[in-house]
Amino acid sequence: MSAAATRRLTTAQALVRFLAAQYTERDGVRHRLIAGTWGIFGHGNVAGLGQALVEYREAMPYHQGRNEQAMVHAAVGHARQLGRLSAQAVTTSIGPGATNLVTGAALATINRLPVLLLPGDYFASHAADPLLQQLEHPVEADASVNDALRPVSRYFDRITRPEALLASALRAMRVLSDPAETGAVTLALPQDVQAEAYDWPEEFFADRVWRVRRPAPDPAELAEAVRAVRAAARPLIVAGGGVHHSEAEQALKALVDATGIPVASTQAGKGALRHDHPADLGGIGHTGTAVSDALARTADLVIGVGTRYSDFTTASGTLFQHPGVRFLNLNITAFDAHKLAAGTLVCDARSGLAALTEALAGHRVDAAYESEYRTGKARWDETVEAAFRADDDGAVPTQTQVLGALDAVVGDEDVVINAAGSLPGDLHKLWRARSPRQYHLEYGYSCMGYEIPAALGVQQAAPDVPVWALVGDGTYLMSPTEIVTAVQEKLPVKLVLVQNHGYASIGGLSESVGAERFGTDYRHRVADGSFTGAPLPVDLAANAASLGMDVLRAKTVRELREALSTARAATRPTCVYVETAPASDALPAEAWWDVPVAEVSAREAATDARAAYERAVADRRRHL
């Protein structure tokens, strides 16, 4: 019998060939699992993966990044747009290139989104110790800065021999493609091993399909869930990101149409129902709508679908106040399903919602309850209209009027991306999501600097869709460099750059907790050390233009509308820059959020804030 066929390649070459042959399949539709690789090259990956990507550039698309963290954000945006069925890889040098991945990896894992990280590592042979950028540990010779990626990765391995890749690469693909396990996956690659040749079995490079399962609910769990729903007088669905990841929006709508149960959404779940559906109540929690939070306080059964119940959703444990409130959680991950001592349906969101709808045939909430939440929704719709309306087209717009102008321009297919600052609160309350993918908020990690690179990843995943990155001045300064990549790759992303000369969100929080807005303005320092002088002479629009974007400056509401329309039609990366007026009518939070306040202080602002804090925290409940 002849020996099995082999192919002699370096480890890096073998990895690239392997990744190019991996696919996911769900509902009979196949996607490439690793659609491309982002990279910044330095010592540690330039001679290994860099050479391999050149050799196999027709099989593995390459994208040149400018910042390692931003490359991960771009890959995450791509994966989310494609429902976690396709991911991208990110390769970096050793040292700071690798450690810059940590924030992006945490964001991916917290949000349950797949990304493959391929940082370079030190010599496995220790032939050149200590080399440039090496962390020397006095008692752990195998320690590496890449170990910082372990706690933020769903799977981690350091490939110290070529043959170790055979098993590890398969494990990595399993985690990336498993909706219950997915997140950041890290394969740390010592630079000498990347370049080392090995006789690889041919079957390692064969096309491989990873089927994404839709597990059905357990019959006993389903029966218990049906009993809980039928017994509830005031049920409320909390739709999370899992609805979108499962493409379960139509299944949710079918359940709601049949039963009349209203839906409130987390930041990740917004758009699970179209905004004008009569049962869609908008956002829930600290940044939620008045109608959602009012119903949440009186709900006797909270049905979480694909949500992990962050403190913003639960208002830090103060929102769900019905004396007998119980929880029913439908989630593909048992870890999330068991939160809040809930009854569980551990299954795929689409499968579980379909099973519930069938089992609840003939059941509908009381007409008075339905009338109550529809009336509340109508009142909130009036609030949204008032916030978006600008009575004077020649006036400087407020931030909510910026959103109103954008709302009037976008189509159903547009994608709106945001992550940090004061915009997430306004968007969660006010944005009218028209389609499942339109509302793209990264609020699991709320990472400043996410928006621009994520827009690149979304645009790659949906090349014919208008993609908007909504960015405040603070988050723009975190990561504007990927504008260069957008220009290089001819990605016509649209950037709405809102200048309010400071950290508006944290400024408001600072004031509410007695920290007096200290350190939250972009202003000149004055004699007493505070930052209360004139705004800094910083021109962010000029910066965006210098990086290659077309820039449209808008000073009034009228000019803003015109600029947004022009940007939507643009075929190049385009920035709409607008300075906003302070919002005297900013919408207040509808629910609390726990940020502990100094227990003792000599300053009146802090003592007053502490008194308010103690009143609020008294409402916290432990759901057991």
Side-chain angles (χ1 to χ4, degrees):
M1 181 180 294
S2 61
T6 60
R7 190 185 311 185
R8 190 160 183 80
L9 300 173
T10 69
T11 303
Q13 292 164 356
L15 178 58
V16 172
R17 291 299 304 173
F18 169 83
L19 294 177
Q22 306 304 302
Y23 297 87
T24 61
E25 186 175 286
R26 186 174 69 183
D27 303 329
V29 179
R30 186 169 296 188
H31 300 262
R32 183 161 167 168
L33 177 51
I34 305 299
T37 297
W38 289 89
I40 296 175
F41 296 114
H43 88 100
N45 70 338
V46 65
L49 277 169
Q51 188 281 326
L53 288 166
V54 170
E55 187 142 339
Y56 298 117
R57 55 190 170 185
E58 293 184 1
M60 176 59 67
Y62 166 72
H63 311 294
Q64 184 177 24
R66 268 71 195 177
N67 174 279
E68 292 87 359
Q69 177 180 317
M71 292 193 298
V72 185
H73 294 338
V76 166
H78 178 276
R80 175 168 170 171
Q81 180 67 20
L82 294 177
R84 305 192 298 193
L85 297 172
S86 181
Q88 292 176 318
V90 178
T91 179
T92 71
S93 63
I94 69 172
T99 52
N100 279 350
L101 295 173
V102 174
T103 296
L107 180 149
T109 296
I110 286 169
N111 286 286
R112 320 305 203 245
L113 292 166
V115 61
L116 176 61
L117 306 180
L118 304 172
D121 214 324
Y122 312 135
F123 285 74
S125 66
H126 294 274
D129 287 3
L131 72 158
L132 178 67
Q133 299 176 326
Q134 181 170 353
L135 173 71
E136 292 185 272
H137 196 291
V139 296
E140 294 183 30
D142 63 343
S144 158
V145 295
N146 287 337
D147 291 318
L149 287 160
R150 290 180 184 271
V152 292
S153 298
R154 291 293 289 170
Y155 177 80
F156 179 98
D157 195 8
R158 180 175 287 114
I159 309 301
T160 57
R161 291 292 307 144
E163 56 267 36
L165 182 65
L166 291 167
S168 192
L170 293 170
R171 294 178 188 135
M173 297 304 104
R174 181 195 67 77
V175 174
L176 287 171
S177 61
D178 188 336
E181 295 288 337
T182 198
V185 167
T186 300
L187 298 180
L189 300 169
Q191 57 180 305
D192 53 345
V193 177
Q194 287 185 50
E196 186 175 347
Y198 180 74
D199 293 322
W200 302 88
E202 281 289 348
E203 55 263 43
F204 187 59
F205 307 113
D207 286 359
R208 191 179 301 267
V209 178
W210 302 85
R211 287 186 170 79
V212 180
R213 298 178 293 278
R214 288 195 181 277
D218 175 82
E221 284 194 336
L222 178 61
E224 186 62 33
V226 169
R227 283 192 289 271
V229 175
R230 289 186 179 277
R234 301 180 63 84
L236 173 67
I237 293 172
V238 176
V243 176
H244 294 310
H245 299 327
S246 177
E247 296 181 313
E249 296 89 357
Q250 288 303 311
L252 176 64
K253 182 178 182 297
L255 174 65
V256 171
D257 288 346
T259 64
I261 301 173
V263 176
S265 54
T266 69
Q267 287 279 16
K270 194 172 171 76
L273 284 184
R274 187 180 158 94
H275 75 93
D276 52 5
H277 189 286
D280 179 66
L281 308 183
I284 190 171
H286 178 63
T287 53
T289 68
V291 58
S292 285
D293 287 352
L295 258 68
R297 292 185 179 97
T298 60
D300 57 355
L301 179 67
V302 179
I303 306 168
V305 182
T307 179
R308 59 189 192 88
Y309 287 111
S310 77
D311 61 341
F312 259 57
T313 300
T314 68
S316 299
T318 65
L319 186 57
F320 304 111
Q321 288 296 321
H322 188 286
V325 64
R326 303 304 299 170
F327 296 85
L328 169 64
N329 292 337
L330 191 165
N331 204 295
I332 200 165
T333 306
F335 175 80
D336 290 316
H338 281 273
K339 290 176 178 176
L340 300 176
T344 59
L345 277 175
V346 181
C347 59
D348 169 73
R350 183 193 287 185
S351 297
L353 289 168
L356 266 179
T357 303
E358 182 179 0
L360 288 167
H363 175 75
R364 192 168 184 88
V365 299
D366 187 80
Y369 182 52
E370 203 165 348
S371 175
E372 176 190 343
Y373 70 68
R374 291 192 180 199
T375 300
K377 174 181 172 61
R379 284 197 300 267
W380 187 257
D381 288 343
E382 293 172 359
T383 300
V384 173
E385 289 289 346
F388 282 176
R389 186 168 54 245
D391 296 325
D392 181 2
D393 279 1
V396 176
T398 64
Q399 182 165 282
T400 56
Q401 288 167 351
V402 170
L403 298 182
L406 184 61
D407 175 81
V409 167
V410 300
D412 287 8
E413 69 274 22
D414 293 37
V415 177
V416 175
I417 300 171
N418 186 242
S422 57
L423 279 164
D426 288 343
L427 285 161
H428 200 206
K429 290 185 183 76
L430 301 173
W431 189 257
R432 299 188 280 212
R434 296 156 168 81
S435 59
R437 298 291 174 200
Q438 181 169 89
Y439 188 86
H440 183 127
L441 262 283
E442 188 289 295
Y443 217 62
Y445 210 41
S446 187
C447 186
M448 296 178 72
Y450 172 82
E451 295 90 339
I452 296 173
L456 272 60
V458 171
Q459 193 75 83
Q460 289 175 331
D464 299 324
V465 169
V467 178
W468 302 84
L470 273 57
V471 181
D473 48 3
T475 196
Y476 177 85
L477 289 168
M478 288 283 181
S479 186
T481 53
E482 301 315 298
I483 288 173
V484 178
T485 302
V487 173
Q488 181 180 33
E489 300 227 354
K490 299 179 180 179
L491 297 170
V493 295
K494 296 91 173 59
L495 171 62
V496 181
L497 178 49
V498 179
Q499 170 67 281
N500 55 27
H501 300 288
Y503 297 118
S505 175
I506 294 301
L509 178 62
S510 173
E511 185 173 34
S512 73
V513 298
E516 304 174 49
R517 292 186 177 264
F518 181 74
T520 63
D521 285 332
Y522 294 158
R523 297 177 183 273
H524 286 287
R525 189 188 296 270
V526 295
D528 67 355
S530 63
F531 296 87
T532 56
L536 297 174
V538 175
D539 191 338
L540 300 182
N543 178 265
S546 75
L547 297 176
M549 268 196 147
D550 293 341
V551 175
L552 305 170
R553 295 176 184 259
K555 295 182 178 180
T556 67
V557 173
R558 184 184 307 107
E559 291 177 0
L560 176 62
R561 289 173 182 153
E562 293 170 354
L564 291 171
S565 294
T566 300
R568 188 172 188 273
T571 58
R572 290 194 75 255
T574 302
C575 171
V576 176
Y577 174 83
V578 58
E579 293 195 42
T580 55
S584 59
D585 57 348
L587 295 176
E590 295 291 340
W592 186 62
W593 182 44
D594 190 352
V595 177
V597 177
E599 192 168 358
V600 296
S601 173
R603 299 185 69 87
E604 183 179 359
T607 57
D608 289 348
R610 179 68 191 191
Y613 176 83
E614 291 177 353
R615 289 192 296 272
V617 78
D619 290 332
R620 180 164 14 233
R621 292 181 63 183
R622 299 287 187 183
H623 298 286
L624 301 172

